[in-house]
Amino acid sequence: FILEWVAHHRVLVFDALSVASNDCSDGSGRLLAALDRAGFIGHVPNVLKPDDIPQHEGYVKIRAAHPIDAADWLMVLDMDEFLNVHIGDHRVQDLTDRAGDADIISLCGRAFSDLPQTHWQPGPVTRAFPMALWAKHKANQAIKTLTRNPSRFKGIHNHHMVGFTAGDDPLDVYAAQTDSHFGLNPHGRYGPKLRHIEKEDIGHQVAQYNHYAVKTLDSFLLRRKRGNGALAVNDQKVDRYTFDYFSTRSGRGNPEPSILRYAEETDLMMADMLAVPEVAAAHQACIEGYGAAIAALADQLED
């Protein structure tokens, strides 16, 4: 899944991509390291202690290793999330320009189901899973944000930055889901506005992030076995990736092809990456490692 995600966001003209990896068992860490050496990303191996929360530690290490605080804007995306801009030339700069002087840009997810695939196959995720859940589905209540001048905040969160440190004036939020602005208490609780909104507030007017959380059942089961990166390594008591999680997102949807506007450029960018022998070899090893893990999981299920 890595090459497509990196290529897609380079096509959207993010100036820098920084990726943390958590003790990968399928070769992903080696691929990320090869992409780093080739200049496509910055890679941070996220070495963890038993009581560490992988996600939190990853953000801290990325911020320490790369000039995050010098950035004009910061966005946090997981490897199954793809920014999709509906205006202008469909680049991230079209989105930030539309936001004017806003401090934060918020946008809703658009969740995609497992259709039409039944088993994992290598290939671009954005083309393998074209069926989007209905717009007001509860899976689309999740918000992701871009933050201007991230140095003003103490910490990075999966959905938004936390701990504003630069004054008491309300933060101006541009809501890309509805093409509107609203004020936010800089020292208040951001969750209801910047993490998980009400169903009636869901929208995808100016931009969205496509979320491919389930893919195929075998791929989902492998993700489930891997654990939850938002919980401590030694405390995986809460199982977020349940069969209910899968069933509410699978076997349904309607075609939503807007992200295909990037497909040709993404393919060209991936070809550039694969022209680097080390990257090509690591990518192939990654596919084989993931396929072997899927096969082993299938054998365990049969047993």
Side-chain angles (χ1 to χ4, degrees), residues 218-239:
D218 51 7
S219 188
F220 177 78
L221 291 174
L222 192 59
R223 174 180 186 169
R224 186 172 185 264
K225 182 180 180 183
R226 175 69 171 168
N228 189 340
L231 297 175
V233 175
N234 61 358
D235 185 21
Q236 294 283 314
K237 294 177 183 177
V238 179
D239 185 3

Side-chain angles (χ1 to χ4, degrees), residues 20-295:
S21 61
N22 306 313
D23 188 27
C24 301
S25 59
D26 63 354
S28 293
R30 292 190 295 275
L31 175 56
L32 290 166
L35 289 167
D36 184 323
R37 286 188 287 271
F40 292 108
I41 65 167
H43 172 229
V44 179
N46 190 21
V47 180
L48 299 166
K49 300 186 294 294
D51 57 349
D52 284 341
I53 297 174
Q55 196 176 79
H56 297 180
E57 289 298 315
Y59 298 151
V60 170
K61 289 183 175 72
I62 286 173
R63 199 174 195 178
H66 298 284
I68 299 298
D69 288 331
D72 296 321
W73 291 91
L74 174 69
M75 186 173 198
V76 176
L77 289 166
D78 298 330
M79 198 65 72
D80 61 0
E81 297 168 342
F82 292 71
L83 180 61
N84 187 2
V85 180
H86 299 315
I87 59 171
D89 292 326
H90 312 292
R91 291 344 190 218
V92 65
Q93 289 81 5
D94 296 299
L95 180 56
T96 55
D97 287 348
R98 183 68 156 259
D101 294 328
D103 298 291
I104 297 168
I105 300 171
S106 68
L107 57 156
C108 287
R110 191 69 195 268
F112 285 74
S113 78
D114 58 336
L115 297 178
Q117 287 196 15
T118 57
H119 297 85
W120 171 77
Q121 302 172 39
V125 172
T126 56
R127 276 158 271 184
F129 305 103
M131 306 296 279
L133 307 187
W134 68 289
K136 298 290 186 179
H137 191 282
K138 65 179 182 179
N140 296 328
Q141 292 177 254
I143 290 286
K144 287 291 174 108
T145 57
L146 293 91
T147 301
R148 188 194 297 272
N149 298 336
S151 62
R152 300 179 295 167
F153 292 79
K154 288 182 180 177
I156 299 172
H157 187 277
N158 188 29
H159 293 267
H160 54 78
M161 298 200 74
V162 296
F164 187 69
T165 61
D168 296 317
D169 293 335
L171 294 168
D172 178 38
V173 179
Y174 171 68
Q177 59 266 34
T178 54
D179 196 21
S180 61
H181 289 255
F182 64 87
L184 188 69
N185 177 357
H187 306 298
R189 183 169 172 264
Y190 300 162
K193 294 288 188 179
L194 300 182
R195 179 180 174 85
H196 197 262
I197 60 173
E198 298 297 325
K199 283 187 179 181
E200 59 266 26
D201 296 326
I202 295 172
H204 306 98
Q205 187 169 340
V206 175
Q208 64 193 46
Y209 66 94
N210 287 21
H211 193 191
Y212 303 92
V214 294
K215 303 183 181 73
T216 53
L217 178 58
D218 51 7
S219 188
F220 177 78
L221 291 174
L222 192 59
R223 174 180 186 169
R224 186 172 185 264
K225 182 180 180 183
R226 175 69 171 168
N228 189 340
L231 297 175
V233 175
N234 61 358
D235 185 21
Q236 294 283 314
K237 294 177 183 177
V238 179
D239 185 3
R240 179 186 180 195
Y241 303 114
T242 63
F243 286 105
D244 182 63
Y245 183 102
F246 182 84
S247 65
T248 58
R249 291 161 173 79
S250 63
R252 66 201 70 194
N254 293 297
E256 204 290 75
S258 61
I259 203 163
L260 297 183
R261 61 170 65 102
Y262 303 110
E264 184 175 352
E265 290 175 277
T266 297
D267 284 345
L268 291 172
M269 183 65 68
M270 289 175 68
D272 286 346
M273 295 179 188
L274 291 169
V276 179
E278 183 187 13
V279 171
H283 174 62
Q284 183 58 36
C286 216
I287 290 173
E288 293 172 2
Y290 193 85
I294 290 280

